[in-house]
Amino acid sequence: MAGSISLRGVHVGYGARAVLAGVDLTVGAGDRVGVVAPNGVGKSTLLKVIAGEPTPESGSVHRAPASTAVVLLSQEPVVRPGEPLLDVLDRPDRSAVQLSGGQQARLALAAVLLARPDILVLDEPTNDLDDDGLARLERHVGGTPAGVVLVSHDRAFLDACVDRIVELDEFTRRATEYLAGGPRTSGARGRPARRDAG
């Protein structure tokens, strides 16, 4: 059985400042969800909650079944000095820190994709990728049976890869979900998929 993850009424804050306020989201096999918001509004925090850290202050995160595997590709993949590629991909022992930024981005992406998760969470996966890397990523996102949640400022990539958009409001920190209704110009939105999700 394919896994799914559901967030209900999720609230995350730092001190008195709310980062996420009452966010609802469900992602299952085959779903393609893009998360959009201005910088600093909580996109990366939402992805981390989906991946299991941090635990929300209130609300719930439920995996069905409990063994559902969620894998996160962080916005800035960590490559430890001296770490051989053999440890990451079980092949060449060239040091990963010798790679260019684009090569490191591909390495981190490859490691995540090889994990074969039920839910794949990608934070700015298009950063540092060349045209070939973007095309490969787009094909994988389109072809994987996993549910995918991703953040990207690349509007063309979002248009090609997602069927739902979750927008985080910079003032209320709540989420509203839209259907991704084909190509959109900057500032335009798709059709509302359902009521305010927050």
Short mmCIF file of all heavy atoms in Angstrom, two decimals, residues 20-53:
data_model
loop_
_atom_site.label_atom_id
_atom_site.label_comp_id
_atom_site.label_asym_id
_atom_site.label_seq_id
_atom_site.Cartn_x
_atom_site.Cartn_y
_atom_site.Cartn_z
N LEU A 20 3.93 28.96 10.99
CA LEU A 20 2.80 28.28 10.37
C LEU A 20 1.64 28.34 11.35
O LEU A 20 1.83 28.09 12.55
CB LEU A 20 3.14 26.81 10.08
CG LEU A 20 4.33 26.55 9.15
CD1 LEU A 20 4.63 25.06 9.09
CD2 LEU A 20 4.08 27.11 7.75
N ALA A 21 0.44 28.65 10.87
CA ALA A 21 -0.70 28.81 11.77
C ALA A 21 -1.90 28.03 11.24
O ALA A 21 -2.57 28.46 10.31
CB ALA A 21 -1.06 30.29 11.92
N GLY A 22 -2.15 26.85 11.82
CA GLY A 22 -3.32 26.07 11.48
C GLY A 22 -3.29 25.50 10.07
O GLY A 22 -4.30 25.51 9.37
N VAL A 23 -2.13 25.01 9.63
CA VAL A 23 -1.99 24.52 8.26
C VAL A 23 -2.49 23.08 8.13
O VAL A 23 -2.16 22.22 8.93
CB VAL A 23 -0.51 24.61 7.81
CG1 VAL A 23 -0.28 23.91 6.48
CG2 VAL A 23 -0.08 26.08 7.74
N ASP A 24 -3.31 22.86 7.10
CA ASP A 24 -3.80 21.52 6.73
C ASP A 24 -3.21 21.16 5.37
O ASP A 24 -3.15 22.01 4.47
CB ASP A 24 -5.31 21.50 6.59
CG ASP A 24 -6.05 21.74 7.90
OD1 ASP A 24 -5.42 21.66 8.96
OD2 ASP A 24 -7.27 22.02 7.83
N LEU A 25 -2.82 19.91 5.20
CA LEU A 25 -2.31 19.44 3.91
C LEU A 25 -2.31 17.92 3.92
O LEU A 25 -1.92 17.30 4.92
CB LEU A 25 -0.88 19.95 3.68
CG LEU A 25 -0.19 19.48 2.39
CD1 LEU A 25 -0.91 20.00 1.16
CD2 LEU A 25 1.26 19.92 2.39
N THR A 26 -2.74 17.32 2.83
CA THR A 26 -2.67 15.86 2.66
C THR A 26 -1.94 15.57 1.36
O THR A 26 -2.24 16.17 0.32
CB THR A 26 -4.06 15.23 2.64
OG1 THR A 26 -4.71 15.47 3.90
CG2 THR A 26 -3.97 13.72 2.41
N VAL A 27 -0.97 14.65 1.43
CA VAL A 27 -0.19 14.25 0.25
C VAL A 27 -0.14 12.74 0.22
O VAL A 27 0.21 12.10 1.21
CB VAL A 27 1.24 14.81 0.30
CG1 VAL A 27 2.00 14.42 -0.96
CG2 VAL A 27 1.24 16.32 0.48
N GLY A 28 -0.51 12.17 -0.92
CA GLY A 28 -0.46 10.73 -1.10
C GLY A 28 0.26 10.36 -2.38
O GLY A 28 0.80 11.23 -3.08
N ALA A 29 0.28 9.09 -2.69
CA ALA A 29 0.97 8.59 -3.87
C ALA A 29 0.48 9.32 -5.12
O ALA A 29 -0.72 9.51 -5.32
CB ALA A 29 0.72 7.10 -4.02
N GLY A 30 1.43 9.75 -5.95
CA GLY A 30 1.11 10.40 -7.20
C GLY A 30 0.75 11.87 -7.11
O GLY A 30 0.63 12.53 -8.14
N ASP A 31 0.58 12.42 -5.91
CA ASP A 31 0.28 13.84 -5.77
C ASP A 31 1.51 14.66 -6.12
O ASP A 31 2.65 14.27 -5.85
CB ASP A 31 -0.15 14.18 -4.34
CG ASP A 31 -1.54 13.68 -4.01
OD1 ASP A 31 -2.29 13.34 -4.94
OD2 ASP A 31 -1.89 13.65 -2.81
N ARG A 32 1.29 15.84 -6.70
CA ARG A 32 2.36 16.77 -7.06
C ARG A 32 1.96 18.14 -6.51
O ARG A 32 1.08 18.79 -7.06
CB ARG A 32 2.54 16.85 -8.57
CG ARG A 32 2.84 15.50 -9.25
CD ARG A 32 4.24 15.02 -8.89
NE ARG A 32 4.57 13.77 -9.56
CZ ARG A 32 4.39 12.57 -9.02
NH1 ARG A 32 3.84 12.46 -7.81
NH2 ARG A 32 4.74 11.48 -9.66
N VAL A 33 2.60 18.55 -5.43
CA VAL A 33 2.20 19.76 -4.72
C VAL A 33 3.35 20.76 -4.71
O VAL A 33 4.46 20.44 -4.27
CB VAL A 33 1.79 19.44 -3.26
CG1 VAL A 33 1.34 20.70 -2.54
CG2 VAL A 33 0.70 18.38 -3.24
N GLY A 34 3.09 21.97 -5.18
CA GLY A 34 4.06 23.05 -5.10
C GLY A 34 3.70 23.97 -3.95
O GLY A 34 2.52 24.25 -3.71
N VAL A 35 4.71 24.43 -3.22
CA VAL A 35 4.50 25.36 -2.10
C VAL A 35 5.12 26.70 -2.48
O VAL A 35 6.29 26.76 -2.85
CB VAL A 35 5.14 24.83 -0.80
CG1 VAL A 35 4.92 25.82 0.35
CG2 VAL A 35 4.57 23.46 -0.44
N VAL A 36 4.31 27.76 -2.41
CA VAL A 36 4.79 29.09 -2.78
C VAL A 36 4.49 30.08 -1.66
O VAL A 36 3.52 29.95 -0.92
CB VAL A 36 4.14 29.58 -4.10
CG1 VAL A 36 4.51 28.66 -5.26
CG2 VAL A 36 2.63 29.69 -3.98
N ALA A 37 5.38 31.08 -1.55
CA ALA A 37 5.25 32.17 -0.58
C ALA A 37 6.46 33.06 -0.76
O ALA A 37 7.49 32.62 -1.30
CB ALA A 37 5.18 31.64 0.85
N PRO A 38 6.39 34.29 -0.27
CA PRO A 38 7.59 35.13 -0.27
C PRO A 38 8.69 34.48 0.58
O PRO A 38 8.40 33.64 1.45
CB PRO A 38 7.12 36.44 0.36
CG PRO A 38 5.64 36.46 0.14
CD PRO A 38 5.21 35.02 0.22
N ASN A 39 9.92 34.88 0.36
CA ASN A 39 11.03 34.36 1.16
C ASN A 39 10.81 34.65 2.64
O ASN A 39 10.32 35.72 3.02
CB ASN A 39 12.36 34.97 0.71
CG ASN A 39 12.83 34.42 -0.62
OD1 ASN A 39 12.46 33.31 -0.99
ND2 ASN A 39 13.64 35.18 -1.32
N GLY A 40 11.16 33.68 3.48
CA GLY A 40 11.07 33.87 4.92
C GLY A 40 9.70 33.64 5.52
O GLY A 40 9.48 33.91 6.70
N VAL A 41 8.76 33.12 4.74
CA VAL A 41 7.38 32.98 5.22
C VAL A 41 7.08 31.59 5.75
O VAL A 41 6.04 31.37 6.35
CB VAL A 41 6.38 33.42 4.12
CG1 VAL A 41 4.95 33.12 4.51
CG2 VAL A 41 6.55 34.90 3.84
N GLY A 42 7.96 30.62 5.60
CA GLY A 42 7.72 29.32 6.25
C GLY A 42 7.71 28.13 5.31
O GLY A 42 7.33 27.03 5.73
N LYS A 43 8.10 28.33 4.06
CA LYS A 43 8.08 27.21 3.11
C LYS A 43 8.99 26.07 3.57
O LYS A 43 8.57 24.91 3.62
CB LYS A 43 8.50 27.68 1.71
CG LYS A 43 7.62 28.75 1.11
CD LYS A 43 8.02 29.12 -0.29
CE LYS A 43 9.42 29.70 -0.42
NZ LYS A 43 9.57 31.03 0.19
N SER A 44 10.23 26.41 3.92
CA SER A 44 11.17 25.37 4.36
C SER A 44 10.72 24.73 5.66
O SER A 44 10.87 23.52 5.86
CB SER A 44 12.58 25.95 4.51
OG SER A 44 13.10 26.32 3.25
N THR A 45 10.13 25.53 6.55
CA THR A 45 9.61 24.98 7.82
C THR A 45 8.51 23.97 7.54
O THR A 45 8.48 22.89 8.14
CB THR A 45 9.10 26.11 8.73
OG1 THR A 45 10.17 27.00 9.02
CG2 THR A 45 8.52 25.55 10.03
N LEU A 46 7.61 24.29 6.61
CA LEU A 46 6.54 23.36 6.26
C LEU A 46 7.11 22.05 5.74
O LEU A 46 6.69 20.96 6.14
CB LEU A 46 5.60 23.98 5.22
CG LEU A 46 4.49 23.07 4.69
CD1 LEU A 46 3.59 22.58 5.82
CD2 LEU A 46 3.69 23.78 3.61
N LEU A 47 8.11 22.12 4.87
CA LEU A 47 8.71 20.90 4.33
C LEU A 47 9.37 20.08 5.44
O LEU A 47 9.29 18.85 5.44
CB LEU A 47 9.74 21.24 3.25
CG LEU A 47 9.21 21.95 2.00
CD1 LEU A 47 10.28 21.98 0.92
CD2 LEU A 47 7.95 21.32 1.47
N LYS A 48 10.02 20.75 6.37
CA LYS A 48 10.66 20.03 7.49
C LYS A 48 9.62 19.35 8.37
O LYS A 48 9.85 18.24 8.87
CB LYS A 48 11.52 20.99 8.30
CG LYS A 48 12.77 21.43 7.57
CD LYS A 48 13.54 22.48 8.36
CE LYS A 48 14.75 22.97 7.58
NZ LYS A 48 15.45 24.07 8.27
N VAL A 49 8.48 20.00 8.59
CA VAL A 49 7.40 19.38 9.38
C VAL A 49 6.91 18.13 8.66
O VAL A 49 6.70 17.08 9.29
CB VAL A 49 6.25 20.38 9.62
CG1 VAL A 49 5.02 19.67 10.18
CG2 VAL A 49 6.69 21.49 10.58
N ILE A 50 6.73 18.21 7.35
CA ILE A 50 6.30 17.04 6.59
C ILE A 50 7.31 15.91 6.74
O ILE A 50 6.94 14.74 6.87
CB ILE A 50 6.12 17.41 5.10
CG1 ILE A 50 4.94 18.38 4.94
CG2 ILE A 50 5.91 16.16 4.25
CD1 ILE A 50 4.85 19.01 3.56
N ALA A 51 8.61 16.26 6.77
CA ALA A 51 9.66 15.26 6.88
C ALA A 51 9.86 14.75 8.30
O ALA A 51 10.60 13.80 8.52
CB ALA A 51 10.97 15.82 6.34
N GLY A 52 9.22 15.40 9.29
CA GLY A 52 9.28 14.88 10.65
C GLY A 52 10.04 15.71 11.65
O GLY A 52 10.18 15.32 12.81
N GLU A 53 10.56 16.86 11.26
CA GLU A 53 11.28 17.71 12.20
C GLU A 53 11.20 19.14 11.70
O GLU A 53 11.55 19.41 10.54
CB GLU A 53 12.75 17.27 12.26
CG GLU A 53 13.51 17.89 13.39
CD GLU A 53 14.93 17.34 13.50
OE1 GLU A 53 15.20 16.21 13.10
OE2 GLU A 53 15.77 18.10 13.99
#
